[in-house]
Amino acid sequence: MYRHGGVVRTRITVRHMAKKLVIKVTAGADAPERCSQAFTVAAVAAASGVEVSLWLTGESSWFAVPGKAAGFELPHAAPLPDLIASVQSAGRITLCTQCAARREITEADLIEGVRIAGAQVFLSEIMEDGVQALVY
């Protein structure tokens, strides 16, 4: 609250929705609930019109390879292949460079549309104005 010309006024700050959401997934089949939550949030954001950048790191790296997501099951969760398709329809999926190298995953092994990039690209994405970053 502040005074202006003898009148008490209230200052309201409106928080705008992030223009872009960057999600880093560190879990895969080793932590299925955390993994599914990350993909679900990414897919819902994409369906809501938010620009999404989903980064696959650690054990989630395997989901950049065709067929791997089909083997992921979690009761009461949307199928991972469907969530990946939703993200790809309105966003981008990136596989961490070092994570790919540790698993001997190359560009030739990837689902169409997935790229490999490193920490510099991740950092440049999360430092942009209007970006919200989440790590699962």
Side-chain angles (χ1 to χ4, degrees):
M1 295 172 67
Y2 66 98
R3 286 198 177 273
H4 184 270
V7 177
V8 177
R9 299 183 186 249
T10 302
R11 186 171 304 192
I12 298 173
T13 303
V14 177
R15 195 166 183 201
H16 298 285
M17 183 183 282
K19 295 177 187 162
K20 183 175 182 180
L21 179 62
V22 179
I23 298 176
K24 180 184 269 194
V25 190
T26 63
D30 58 328
E33 286 184 296
R34 190 162 29 113
C35 176
S36 180
Q37 289 169 0
F39 280 92
T40 299
V41 168
V44 168
S48 299
V50 176
E51 181 184 350
V52 175
S53 176
L54 181 66
W55 283 73
L56 306 178
T57 67
E59 286 303 300
S60 71
S61 300
W62 292 111
F63 300 129
V65 177
K68 294 290 185 175
F72 179 88
E73 291 185 16
L74 182 63
H76 310 290
L80 208 52
D82 294 350
L83 297 174
I84 289 171
S86 293
V87 173
Q88 283 189 304
S89 71
R92 164 168 255 161
I93 298 177
T94 304
L95 172 59
C96 162
T97 302
Q98 291 181 12
C99 300
R102 281 190 281 275
R103 290 160 181 81
E104 298 181 357
I105 300 171
T106 67
E107 298 245 350
D109 300 318
L110 301 179
I111 295 169
E112 187 176 336
V114 174
R115 69 176 175 168
I116 295 177
Q120 182 179 4
V121 175
F122 178 77
L123 185 62
S124 70
E125 283 190 16
I126 65 170
M127 296 306 295
E128 294 173 6
D129 287 337
V131 173
Q132 174 68 52
L134 301 173
V135 178
Y136 285 89

